């Protein structure tokens, strides 16, 4: 997973870009990078770690930068090398380009193989490099033409921002898998993955960049180039389930209210007698509140969270995920001892961390642990930017719900019904649910 930000301002840009990028830190915690322009050339600073770690002490301030882009990234296992950190920079035909990308290309392997057969070599393990390479290859002096040609070749998820010395460009795939938003006021233009990165600058006027749309910001002017055809909206439903911050408004769906209403639905779907409703924080908290309010069962923080730990789902290896859960979440014995607990979480992917968490709840004295999940069972891998494993490692692809319950050690287990969950969004057909159904809008390796 990744997050992108791009800003063009009449004021000093450094703090604005850092504040905005920090606001979407939850989208990527392995690395961060910035590219600035002074109007004639680009300057890049990047590194492994969180935003406040990577740029601490960097020579960024009191510079006459007026535009820049930023990126935060969580890597797949084996892809944490320094050369994969974005934004990436390219030089072609006397021009500099820097690109930051959120998403995954479904046909990356096929295109990459074809280019390698032509003698092209790659310098990273990221599909972002492929996007930048194609734009550079198609660029004949018209950046719009180069981007549109690239968009017609690549398939899958890409919400991208590009910095050139004199302009910022943003574009989004024809399905609109990953979010991308545009905000502006008298002093600033900003493009970002989520609205919090815009609102932190006290900008209240923002909108979604539409699927297939290209936006250019140059000379304090904004120009939009909508796609004329090929649009097939398939927004990622997992953004609302887990990825986005609770205060995010993705495609006019507020993440907090979506999650809370999922909890309400889940209680009506699968009621249970219990003493307390406890969330797996933080993404499970709004749903647990909804479950508690609908059921009348008291809400309690049975798990104490270490706020200095990142998101365990996006750790690159299973060992790291298990350690992160232990470090991040600690059962509160004084709350749960002798109690029947409803534990509410956003998803079960591999199942191993859920099993360890339930065991620790029992070790802390929980009398019963009933597990409630506010997403349907994950049965298929995602090719569009969420690092889910192959089906062989997805517990719901290999076991029945009853078998999962036994394996994770819960007294009962229920997942939210997909159709019920989709009623919480406008136009459910505009959402991708391939991780639950296997109905992929864009096939892997499709040309």
């Amino acid at each position: 997973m990744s997050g992108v930000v791009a800003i063009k301002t009449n004021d000093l840009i450094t703090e604005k870009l850092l504040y905005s990028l920090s606001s979407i830190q939850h989208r990527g915690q392995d690395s961060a990078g910035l590219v600035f322009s002074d109007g004639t050339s680009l300057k890049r600073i990047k590194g492994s770690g969180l935003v406040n770690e990577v740029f601490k002490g960097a020579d960024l301030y009191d510079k006459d930068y007026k535009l820049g882009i930023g990126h935060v990234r969580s890597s797949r296992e084996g892809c944490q090398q320094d050369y994969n950190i974005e934004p990436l920079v390219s030089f072609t035909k006397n021009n500099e380009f820097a690109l930051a990308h959120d998403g995954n290309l479904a046909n990356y392997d096929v295109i990459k193989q074809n280019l390698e057969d032509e003698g092209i070599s790659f310098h990273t393990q990221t599909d972002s490099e492929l996007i930048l390479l194609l734009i550079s290859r198609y660029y004949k002096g018209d950046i719009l033409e180069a981007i549109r040609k690239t968009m017609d070749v690549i398939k899958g998820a890409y919400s991208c921002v590009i910095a050139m010395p004199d302009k910022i460009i943003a574009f989004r795939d024809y399905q609109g898998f990953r979010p991308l938003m545009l905000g502006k006021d008298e002093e600033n233009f900003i493009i970002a993955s989520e609205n919090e990165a815009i609102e932190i600058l006290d900008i209240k006027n923002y909108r979604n960049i539409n699927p297939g749309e290209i936006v250019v910001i140059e000379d304090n002017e904004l120009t939009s180039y909508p796609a004329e055809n090929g649009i097939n909206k398939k927004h990622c439903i997992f953004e609302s389930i887990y990825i986005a911050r609770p205060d995010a408004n993705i495609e006019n769906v507020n993440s907090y209210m979506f999650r809370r209403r999922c909890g309400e639905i889940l209680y009506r779907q699968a009621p249970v007698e219990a003493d307390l409703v406890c969330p797996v924080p933080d993404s499970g908290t709004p749903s647990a509140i909804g479950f508690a309010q609908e059921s009348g069962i008291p809400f309690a923080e049975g798990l104490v969270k270490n706020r200095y730990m990142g998101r365990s789902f996006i750790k690159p290896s299973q060992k790291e995920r298990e350690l992160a859960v232990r470090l991040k979440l600690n059962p509160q014995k004084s709350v749960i001892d002798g109690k029947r607990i409803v534990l509410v979480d956003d998803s079960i992917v591999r199942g191993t961390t859920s099993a360890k968490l339930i065991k620790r709840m029992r070790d802390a004295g929980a009398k019963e642990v009933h597990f409630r999940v506010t997403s349907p069972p994950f049965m298929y891998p995602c090719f569009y930017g969420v690092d889910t494993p192959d089906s062989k490692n997805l517990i719901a692809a290999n076991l029945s719900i009853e078998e999962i319950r036994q394996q994770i050690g819960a007294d009962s287990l229920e997942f939210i019904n997909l159709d019920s969950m989709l009623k919480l969004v406008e136009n459910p057909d505009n959402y991708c649910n391939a991780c639950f159904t296997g109905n992929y809008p864009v096939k892997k390796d499709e040309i």
Side-chain angles (χ1 to χ4, degrees):
M1 302 194 305
S2 299
V4 300
V5 172
I7 297 177
K8 175 75 168 64
T9 181
N10 294 325
D11 199 356
L12 295 178
I13 195 175
T14 301
E15 289 187 351
K16 294 179 180 182
L17 202 48
L18 288 174
Y19 290 157
S20 291
L21 198 59
S22 295
S23 298
I24 54 170
Q25 183 75 83
H26 59 283
R27 299 187 71 88
Q29 299 166 359
D30 287 344
S31 63
L34 295 173
V35 166
F36 296 97
S37 171
D38 60 8
T40 58
S41 63
L42 302 180
K43 176 181 175 62
R44 177 173 60 174
I45 302 174
K46 63 176 185 174
S48 297
L50 303 176
V51 171
N52 63 349
E53 297 169 341
V54 172
F55 306 113
K56 183 179 181 180
D59 183 21
L60 297 174
Y61 296 91
D62 301 321
K63 305 291 185 182
D64 192 26
Y65 301 133
K66 298 301 183 185
L67 68 84
I69 65 174
H71 187 262
V72 288
R73 180 173 185 262
S74 285
S75 310
R76 291 176 295 151
E77 187 170 3
C79 296
Q80 294 173 286
Q81 290 83 355
D82 179 74
Y83 51 71
N84 289 325
I85 299 175
E86 299 180 37
L88 304 179
V89 177
S90 175
F91 303 86
T92 185
K93 300 178 180 66
N94 298 317
N95 270 288
E96 288 181 279
F97 304 87
L99 177 138
H101 163 222
D102 177 26
N104 268 8
L105 300 185
N107 62 348
Y108 166 69
D109 292 333
V110 173
I111 299 176
K112 181 173 182 284
Q113 183 63 58
N114 290 339
L115 290 172
E116 287 177 331
D117 290 343
E118 295 177 14
I120 302 296
S121 62
F122 288 79
H123 305 286
T124 76
Q125 298 167 304
T126 71
D127 48 4
S128 307
E129 182 184 9
L130 176 62
I131 299 173
L132 189 56
L133 187 152
L134 290 173
I135 291 172
S136 299
R137 169 177 275 204
Y138 293 133
Y139 181 69
K140 310 293 184 185
D142 186 339
I143 187 64
L144 285 172
E145 180 183 26
I147 291 174
R148 187 61 73 187
K149 284 185 176 180
T150 299
M151 293 173 68
D152 291 338
V153 171
I154 58 179
K155 308 293 182 185
Y158 51 91
S159 288
C160 298
V161 292
I162 287 179
M164 296 177 68
D166 62 340
K167 63 176 69 72
I168 285 174
I169 306 155
F171 55 99
R172 192 179 181 198
D173 63 79
Y174 293 100
Q175 283 73 35
F177 285 111
R178 309 255 72 83
L180 196 61
M181 297 183 177
L182 166 68
K184 63 177 181 177
D185 61 11
E186 294 80 5
E187 295 292 327
N188 309 281
F189 292 98
I190 177 170
I191 296 159
S193 294
E194 295 183 24
N195 51 281
E196 313 92 89
I198 299 173
E199 292 172 347
I200 195 69
L201 303 185
D202 202 27
I203 297 174
K204 299 178 176 61
N205 180 26
Y206 60 84
R207 67 169 178 86
N208 295 306
I209 292 178
N210 294 315
E213 182 181 5
I214 303 173
V215 171
V216 179
I217 302 170
E218 183 178 13
D219 296 329
N220 294 321
E221 295 290 336
L222 184 148
T223 310
S224 169
Y225 300 88
E228 295 181 358
N229 49 54
I231 301 302
N232 178 28
K233 293 181 180 180
K234 291 295 176 182
H235 312 306
C236 175
I237 193 65
F238 201 57
E239 288 279 351
S240 296
I241 293 171
Y242 171 80
I243 299 174
R245 246 173 55 165
D247 52 342
N249 299 310
I250 306 294
E251 302 300 332
N252 301 318
V253 176
N254 177 261
S255 298
Y256 175 86
M257 292 306 299
F258 177 91
R259 294 166 190 171
R260 177 174 163 178
R261 293 180 66 190
C262 280
E264 295 172 359
I265 289 172
L266 195 50
Y267 173 74
R268 295 196 294 267
Q269 176 188 316
V272 62
E273 292 186 4
D275 301 307
L276 296 174
V277 176
C278 299
V280 178
D282 282 317
S283 52
T285 300
S287 298
I289 291 171
F291 193 101
Q293 291 180 335
E294 185 71 13
S295 65
I297 302 171
F299 173 91
E301 292 188 358
L303 292 166
V304 176
K305 181 178 180 180
N306 177 354
R307 300 293 171 183
Y308 298 95
M309 284 296 298
R311 302 179 84 166
S312 59
F313 176 83
I314 54 179
K315 296 295 180 184
S317 71
Q318 182 61 34
K319 184 176 181 180
E320 285 180 285
R321 282 186 292 271
E322 292 177 8
L323 179 60
V325 169
R326 177 168 287 275
L327 291 172
K328 183 175 71 172
L329 300 173
N330 194 47
Q332 190 164 203
K333 183 177 178 64
S334 61
V335 173
I336 65 177
D337 191 16
K339 301 292 196 305
R340 298 169 298 170
I341 304 298
V342 180
L343 194 61
V344 181
D345 202 359
D346 58 82
S347 59
I348 298 178
V349 180
R350 300 163 185 84
T352 52
T353 53
S354 300
K356 290 180 181 298
L357 196 56
I358 291 172
K359 182 179 184 303
R360 294 182 68 207
M361 297 282 284
R362 293 195 187 280
D363 290 345
K367 185 178 178 181
E368 298 175 7
V369 181
H370 301 272
F371 212 74
R372 294 295 182 267
V373 186
T374 52
S375 69
F378 265 85
M379 300 183 69
Y380 303 89
C382 175
F383 304 136
Y384 312 127
V386 180
D387 188 21
T388 49
D390 293 336
S391 293
K392 65 181 180 181
N393 294 318
L394 291 170
I395 191 170
N398 299 284
L399 300 178
S400 68
I401 292 179
E402 173 58 21
E403 289 170 332
I404 297 172
R405 182 197 68 78
Q406 293 177 19
Q407 183 154 314
I408 67 175
D411 289 280
S412 68
L413 170 66
E414 293 287 345
F415 295 83
I416 196 170
N417 178 272
L418 176 61
D419 290 337
S420 297
M421 183 185 71
L422 289 177
K423 290 178 181 177
L424 300 179
V425 300
E426 296 179 7
N427 303 313
D429 290 342
N430 289 351
Y431 284 81
C432 175
N433 53 44
C435 52
F436 310 130
T437 65
N439 296 325
Y440 292 103
V442 178
K443 305 296 184 185
K444 186 170 174 58
D445 299 331
E446 178 179 331
I447 296 296

Coordinates of all heavy atoms in Angstrom, one line a residue, residues 240-241 254-272 277-280 282-297 299 342-347 370-376 414-417 420-424:
S240 N -12.6 1.4 2.5 CA -13.5 1.8 3.6 C -13.5 0.8 4.8 O -13.7 1.2 5.9 CB -15.0 1.9 3.0 OG -15.1 2.9 2.1
I241 N -13.2 -0.5 4.5 CA -13.1 -1.5 5.5 C -11.9 -1.3 6.4 O -12.0 -1.4 7.6 CB -13.1 -2.9 4.9 CG1 -14.4 -3.2 4.2 CG2 -12.8 -4.0 6.0 CD1 -14.4 -4.5 3.4
N254 N -17.9 8.1 4.2 CA -17.1 8.3 5.4 C -16.7 7.0 6.0 O -17.6 6.2 6.3 CB -17.9 9.2 6.4 CG -17.1 9.4 7.6 OD1 -17.3 8.7 8.6 ND2 -16.1 10.3 7.6
S255 N -15.4 6.8 6.2 CA -14.9 5.5 6.7 C -15.4 5.2 8.1 O -15.8 4.0 8.3 CB -13.4 5.5 6.7 OG -12.9 5.7 5.4
Y256 N -15.5 6.2 8.9 CA -16.0 5.9 10.3 C -17.4 5.4 10.3 O -17.8 4.4 10.9 CB -15.9 7.2 11.2 CG -16.4 7.0 12.5 CD1 -15.7 6.4 13.6 CD2 -17.8 7.3 12.8 CE1 -16.2 6.2 14.8 CE2 -18.3 7.1 14.1 CZ -17.5 6.6 15.1 OH -18.1 6.4 16.3
M257 N -18.3 6.1 9.6 CA -19.7 5.8 9.6 C -19.9 4.4 8.9 O -20.8 3.6 9.3 CB -20.5 6.9 8.9 CG -20.6 8.2 9.7 SD -21.1 8.0 11.4 CE -22.8 7.3 11.1
F258 N -19.1 4.2 7.8 CA -19.2 2.9 7.2 C -18.9 1.8 8.1 O -19.6 0.8 8.3 CB -18.3 2.8 6.0 CG -18.2 1.5 5.2 CD1 -19.0 1.3 4.1 CD2 -17.3 0.5 5.6 CE1 -19.0 0.1 3.5 CE2 -17.3 -0.7 4.9 CZ -18.1 -0.9 3.8
R259 N -17.8 1.9 8.9 CA -17.4 0.8 9.8 C -18.3 0.7 10.9 O -18.6 -0.4 11.4 CB -16.0 1.1 10.3 CG -14.9 1.1 9.2 CD -13.6 1.7 9.5 NE -12.7 1.8 8.3 CZ -11.6 2.4 8.3 NH1 -11.1 3.0 9.4 NH2 -10.9 2.4 7.2
R260 N -18.8 1.8 11.4 CA -19.8 1.7 12.5 C -21.1 1.0 12.1 O -21.6 0.2 12.8 CB -20.1 3.1 13.0 CG -21.1 3.2 14.1 CD -21.3 4.6 14.6 NE -22.5 4.8 15.4 CZ -22.9 5.9 16.0 NH1 -22.1 7.0 15.9 NH2 -24.0 6.0 16.6
R261 N -21.6 1.3 10.9 CA -22.8 0.7 10.5 C -22.6 -0.8 10.1 O -23.5 -1.6 10.3 CB -23.3 1.5 9.2 CG -23.8 2.9 9.6 CD -24.3 3.6 8.4 NE -25.5 3.0 7.8 CZ -26.1 3.3 6.7 NH1 -25.5 4.2 5.9 NH2 -27.2 2.7 6.3
C262 N -21.3 -1.1 9.7 CA -21.0 -2.5 9.6 C -21.2 -3.3 10.9 O -21.7 -4.4 10.9 CB -19.6 -2.7 9.0 SG -19.4 -2.4 7.3
G263 N -20.8 -2.7 12.0 CA -20.9 -3.3 13.3 C -22.4 -3.5 13.7 O -22.8 -4.5 14.2
E264 N -23.2 -2.5 13.3 CA -24.6 -2.6 13.6 C -25.2 -3.7 12.8 O -26.0 -4.6 13.3 CB -25.3 -1.3 13.2 CG -24.9 -0.1 14.1 CD -25.5 1.2 13.5 OE1 -26.1 1.2 12.5 OE2 -25.2 2.3 14.2
I265 N -24.9 -3.8 11.5 CA -25.4 -4.9 10.6 C -25.0 -6.2 11.2 O -25.7 -7.2 11.2 CB -24.9 -4.7 9.2 CG1 -25.6 -3.5 8.6 CG2 -25.1 -5.9 8.4 CD1 -25.0 -3.1 7.2
L266 N -23.7 -6.3 11.6 CA -23.2 -7.6 12.0 C -23.9 -8.1 13.3 O -24.1 -9.3 13.4 CB -21.7 -7.5 12.3 CG -20.9 -8.8 12.4 CD1 -21.2 -9.7 11.2 CD2 -19.4 -8.5 12.4
Y267 N -24.3 -7.2 14.2 CA -25.0 -7.7 15.4 C -26.4 -8.2 14.9 O -26.8 -9.3 15.4 CB -25.2 -6.6 16.4 CG -26.1 -7.1 17.5 CD1 -25.7 -8.0 18.5 CD2 -27.5 -6.7 17.6 CE1 -26.5 -8.5 19.4 CE2 -28.3 -7.2 18.5 CZ -27.8 -8.1 19.5 OH -28.7 -8.7 20.4
R268 N -27.1 -7.5 14.0 CA -28.4 -8.0 13.6 C -28.3 -9.3 12.8 O -29.2 -10.1 12.9 CB -29.0 -6.9 12.7 CG -29.4 -5.6 13.4 CD -30.3 -4.8 12.6 NE -29.7 -4.3 11.4 CZ -29.1 -3.1 11.3 NH1 -29.0 -2.3 12.3 NH2 -28.6 -2.7 10.1
Q269 N -27.2 -9.5 12.1 CA -26.9 -10.7 11.4 C -26.6 -11.9 12.3 O -27.0 -13.0 12.1 CB -25.8 -10.5 10.4 CG -25.4 -11.7 9.6 CD -24.2 -11.4 8.7 OE1 -24.1 -10.4 8.1 NE2 -23.2 -12.4 8.7
A270 N -25.7 -11.6 13.3 CA -25.2 -12.6 14.2 C -25.2 -12.2 15.6 O -24.1 -11.9 16.2 CB -23.8 -13.0 13.7
P271 N -26.4 -12.1 16.3 CA -26.4 -11.7 17.7 C -25.8 -12.7 18.6 O -25.7 -13.9 18.2 CB -27.9 -11.6 17.9 CG -28.6 -12.5 16.9 CD -27.7 -12.5 15.7
V272 N -25.3 -12.3 19.7 CA -24.7 -13.2 20.7 C -24.9 -12.6 22.1 O -25.0 -11.4 22.3 CB -23.2 -13.3 20.3 CG1 -22.5 -11.9 20.4 CG2 -22.5 -14.3 21.2
V277 N -18.2 -5.8 24.6 CA -17.8 -5.8 23.2 C -16.4 -5.0 23.1 O -16.3 -3.9 23.6 CB -18.8 -5.0 22.3 CG1 -18.3 -4.9 20.9 CG2 -20.1 -5.7 22.3
C278 N -15.4 -5.7 22.6 CA -14.1 -5.1 22.6 C -13.6 -5.1 21.1 O -13.7 -6.1 20.4 CB -13.1 -6.0 23.4 SG -13.5 -6.1 25.1
P279 N -13.0 -4.0 20.7 CA -12.4 -3.9 19.4 C -11.0 -4.4 19.3 O -10.3 -4.4 20.3 CB -12.5 -2.4 19.1 CG -12.2 -1.8 20.5 CD -12.9 -2.7 21.5
V280 N -10.6 -4.8 18.1 CA -9.2 -4.9 17.8 C -8.8 -3.5 17.2 O -9.1 -3.2 16.1 CB -8.9 -6.0 16.8 CG1 -7.4 -6.1 16.5 CG2 -9.4 -7.4 17.4
D282 N -6.9 -0.2 15.6 CA -7.8 0.9 15.7 C -9.0 0.7 14.7 O -10.1 1.2 14.8 CB -7.2 2.2 15.3 CG -6.4 2.8 16.5 OD1 -6.9 2.8 17.6 OD2 -5.3 3.3 16.3
S283 N -8.7 -0.1 13.6 CA -9.7 -0.1 12.5 C -10.9 -0.9 12.9 O -12.0 -0.7 12.3 CB -9.1 -0.8 11.3 OG -8.4 -2.0 11.6
G284 N -10.8 -1.7 14.0 CA -12.0 -2.4 14.5 C -12.9 -1.6 15.4 O -14.0 -2.0 15.8
T285 N -12.4 -0.4 15.9 CA -13.1 0.3 16.9 C -14.4 0.9 16.5 O -15.4 0.7 17.2 CB -12.2 1.5 17.4 OG1 -11.0 0.9 18.0 CG2 -12.9 2.3 18.5
P286 N -14.5 1.6 15.3 CA -15.9 2.1 15.0 C -16.9 0.9 14.8 O -18.1 1.1 15.2 CB -15.6 2.7 13.6 CG -14.2 3.1 13.6 CD -13.5 2.0 14.4
S287 N -16.5 -0.2 14.3 CA -17.4 -1.3 14.1 C -17.8 -1.9 15.5 O -19.0 -2.3 15.7 CB -16.8 -2.4 13.3 OG -16.5 -2.0 12.0
A288 N -16.9 -1.9 16.4 CA -17.2 -2.4 17.8 C -18.2 -1.5 18.5 O -19.1 -1.9 19.2 CB -16.0 -2.6 18.6
I289 N -18.0 -0.2 18.2 CA -19.0 0.8 18.8 C -20.4 0.6 18.2 O -21.4 0.6 18.9 CB -18.5 2.2 18.5 CG1 -17.2 2.5 19.3 CG2 -19.6 3.3 18.8 CD1 -16.5 3.8 18.9
G290 N -20.4 0.4 16.9 CA -21.7 0.1 16.3 C -22.4 -1.2 16.8 O -23.6 -1.2 17.1
F291 N -21.6 -2.2 16.9 CA -22.0 -3.5 17.5 C -22.6 -3.3 18.9 O -23.7 -3.8 19.2 CB -20.9 -4.5 17.4 CG -21.3 -6.0 17.7 CD1 -21.5 -6.8 16.6 CD2 -21.6 -6.4 18.9 CE1 -21.8 -8.2 16.8 CE2 -22.0 -7.8 19.1 CZ -22.1 -8.6 18.1
A292 N -21.8 -2.6 19.7 CA -22.2 -2.4 21.1 C -23.5 -1.6 21.2 O -24.4 -1.9 22.0 CB -21.1 -1.7 21.9
Q293 N -23.6 -0.5 20.4 CA -24.8 0.3 20.5 C -26.1 -0.4 20.0 O -27.1 -0.3 20.5 CB -24.6 1.6 19.7 CG -23.5 2.5 20.4 CD -23.3 3.8 19.6 OE1 -23.5 3.9 18.4 NE2 -22.8 4.8 20.3
E294 N -25.9 -1.2 18.9 CA -27.0 -2.0 18.4 C -27.5 -3.1 19.3 O -28.6 -3.4 19.4 CB -26.7 -2.5 17.0 CG -27.8 -3.2 16.3 CD -28.8 -2.3 15.8 OE1 -28.6 -1.0 15.8 OE2 -29.9 -2.7 15.4
S295 N -26.5 -3.7 20.0 CA -26.8 -4.8 20.9 C -27.2 -4.5 22.3 O -27.8 -5.2 23.0 CB -25.6 -5.8 20.9 OG -24.5 -5.1 21.6
G296 N -26.7 -3.3 22.7 CA -26.9 -2.9 24.1 C -25.8 -3.5 25.0 O -25.8 -3.3 26.3
I297 N -24.9 -4.2 24.5 CA -23.8 -4.8 25.3 C -22.7 -3.7 25.5 O -22.4 -3.0 24.6 CB -23.1 -6.0 24.5 CG1 -24.2 -7.1 24.3 CG2 -22.0 -6.6 25.4 CD1 -23.7 -8.2 23.4
F299 N -19.5 -1.4 25.7 CA -18.3 -1.3 24.9 C -17.1 -1.2 25.9 O -17.2 -0.4 26.9 CB -18.3 -0.1 24.0 CG -17.0 0.2 23.3 CD1 -16.7 -0.4 22.0 CD2 -16.1 1.0 23.8 CE1 -15.6 -0.1 21.4 CE2 -14.9 1.3 23.2 CZ -14.6 0.8 22.0
V342 N -17.1 -10.2 23.1 CA -17.2 -10.1 21.6 C -16.0 -9.3 21.1 O -15.9 -8.1 21.4 CB -18.5 -9.5 21.2 CG1 -18.6 -9.5 19.6 CG2 -19.7 -10.2 21.8
L343 N -15.2 -10.0 20.3 CA -14.0 -9.3 19.8 C -14.3 -9.0 18.3 O -14.6 -9.8 17.5 CB -12.8 -10.2 19.9 CG -11.4 -9.6 19.6 CD1 -11.1 -8.5 20.6 CD2 -10.3 -10.7 19.7
V344 N -14.2 -7.7 18.0 CA -14.6 -7.2 16.7 C -13.4 -6.7 15.9 O -12.6 -5.9 16.4 CB -15.6 -6.0 16.8 CG1 -16.0 -5.6 15.4 CG2 -16.8 -6.5 17.5
D345 N -13.2 -7.3 14.7 CA -12.0 -6.9 13.9 C -12.5 -6.7 12.5 O -13.6 -7.1 12.1 CB -10.9 -8.0 13.9 CG -9.6 -7.4 13.5 OD1 -9.4 -6.2 13.2 OD2 -8.6 -8.2 13.5
D346 N -11.6 -6.0 11.6 CA -12.0 -5.6 10.3 C -11.9 -6.8 9.3 O -12.6 -6.8 8.3 CB -11.2 -4.5 9.8 CG -9.7 -4.7 9.8 OD1 -9.2 -5.4 8.9 OD2 -9.1 -4.3 10.8
S347 N -11.0 -7.8 9.6 CA -10.8 -8.8 8.6 C -10.0 -10.0 9.3 O -9.3 -9.8 10.3 CB -10.0 -8.3 7.4 OG -8.7 -7.8 7.8
H370 N -16.0 -14.5 21.4 CA -16.8 -14.6 20.2 C -16.2 -13.6 19.1 O -16.2 -12.4 19.4 CB -18.3 -14.3 20.4 CG -18.8 -15.2 21.5 ND1 -19.4 -16.4 21.1 CD2 -18.9 -15.1 22.8 CE1 -19.8 -17.0 22.2 NE2 -19.6 -16.2 23.3
F371 N -15.8 -14.1 18.0 CA -15.1 -13.2 17.0 C -16.1 -12.8 16.0 O -16.9 -13.6 15.4 CB -14.0 -14.0 16.4 CG -12.8 -13.2 16.0 CD1 -11.9 -12.7 16.9 CD2 -12.6 -12.9 14.6 CE1 -10.8 -11.9 16.5 CE2 -11.5 -12.1 14.3 CZ -10.6 -11.6 15.2
R372 N -16.2 -11.5 15.7 CA -17.0 -10.9 14.7 C -16.2 -10.0 13.7 O -15.4 -9.2 14.2 CB -18.1 -10.0 15.3 CG -19.1 -10.8 16.2 CD -19.9 -11.8 15.3 NE -20.9 -12.5 16.1 CZ -20.7 -13.7 16.7 NH1 -19.5 -14.3 16.6 NH2 -21.7 -14.3 17.3
V373 N -16.4 -10.3 12.4 CA -15.5 -9.7 11.4 C -16.4 -8.9 10.5 O -17.3 -9.3 9.9 CB -14.8 -10.8 10.6 CG1 -13.8 -10.2 9.6 CG2 -14.1 -11.8 11.5
T374 N -16.0 -7.6 10.3 CA -16.8 -6.7 9.5 C -16.3 -6.6 8.1 O -16.5 -5.6 7.4 CB -16.8 -5.3 10.2 OG1 -15.4 -4.8 10.4 CG2 -17.6 -5.3 11.5
S375 N -15.8 -7.7 7.6 CA -15.6 -7.9 6.1 C -16.0 -9.3 5.8 O -15.9 -10.2 6.7 CB -14.2 -7.6 5.7 OG -13.3 -8.6 6.2
P376 N -16.4 -9.6 4.6 CA -16.6 -11.0 4.2 C -15.3 -11.8 4.2 O -14.2 -11.2 4.3 CB -17.2 -10.9 2.8 CG -17.7 -9.5 2.7 CD -16.8 -8.6 3.5
E414 N -18.4 -15.1 13.1 CA -19.3 -14.7 12.0 C -18.6 -13.5 11.2 O -17.9 -12.6 11.8 CB -20.6 -14.1 12.6 CG -21.4 -15.2 13.2 CD -22.1 -16.1 12.3 OE1 -22.1 -15.8 11.0 OE2 -22.6 -17.2 12.7
F415 N -18.8 -13.6 9.9 CA -18.3 -12.6 9.0 C -19.5 -11.8 8.4 O -20.6 -12.4 8.3 CB -17.6 -13.2 7.7 CG -16.3 -13.9 8.0 CD1 -16.3 -15.2 8.5 CD2 -15.1 -13.2 7.9 CE1 -15.1 -15.8 8.7 CE2 -13.9 -13.9 8.1 CZ -13.9 -15.2 8.6
I416 N -19.4 -10.5 8.2 CA -20.5 -9.8 7.6 C -20.9 -10.3 6.2 O -20.0 -10.7 5.5 CB -20.2 -8.3 7.6 CG1 -21.5 -7.4 7.4 CG2 -19.2 -7.9 6.5 CD1 -21.2 -5.9 7.6
N417 N -22.1 -10.2 5.9 CA -22.6 -10.6 4.6 C -22.3 -9.6 3.6 O -22.5 -8.4 3.8 CB -24.1 -10.8 4.7 CG -24.8 -11.2 3.4 OD1 -25.1 -10.3 2.6 ND2 -24.9 -12.5 3.1
S420 N -25.1 -7.3 2.4 CA -25.5 -6.3 3.4 C -24.5 -5.2 3.5 O -24.9 -4.0 3.7 CB -25.7 -7.0 4.7 OG -26.7 -8.0 4.7
M421 N -23.2 -5.5 3.4 CA -22.2 -4.5 3.5 C -22.3 -3.5 2.3 O -22.1 -2.3 2.5 CB -20.8 -5.1 3.6 CG -19.7 -4.2 3.7 SD -18.1 -5.0 3.6 CE -18.0 -5.4 1.9
L422 N -22.5 -4.0 1.2 CA -22.5 -3.2 0.0 C -23.7 -2.2 -0.1 O -23.7 -1.3 -0.8 CB -22.5 -4.1 -1.3 CG -21.2 -4.8 -1.6 CD1 -21.3 -5.7 -2.8 CD2 -20.1 -3.8 -1.8
K423 N -24.7 -2.5 0.7 CA -25.9 -1.6 0.8 C -25.5 -0.3 1.5 O -26.2 0.7 1.4 CB -27.0 -2.2 1.6 CG -27.7 -3.4 0.8 CD -28.8 -4.0 1.7 CE -29.5 -5.2 0.9 NZ -30.5 -5.8 1.7
L424 N -24.3 -0.2 2.1 CA -23.8 1.0 2.8 C -23.2 2.0 1.8 O -22.8 3.1 2.2 CB -22.8 0.6 3.9 CG -23.4 -0.3 5.0 CD1 -22.3 -0.6 6.0 CD2 -24.6 0.3 5.7

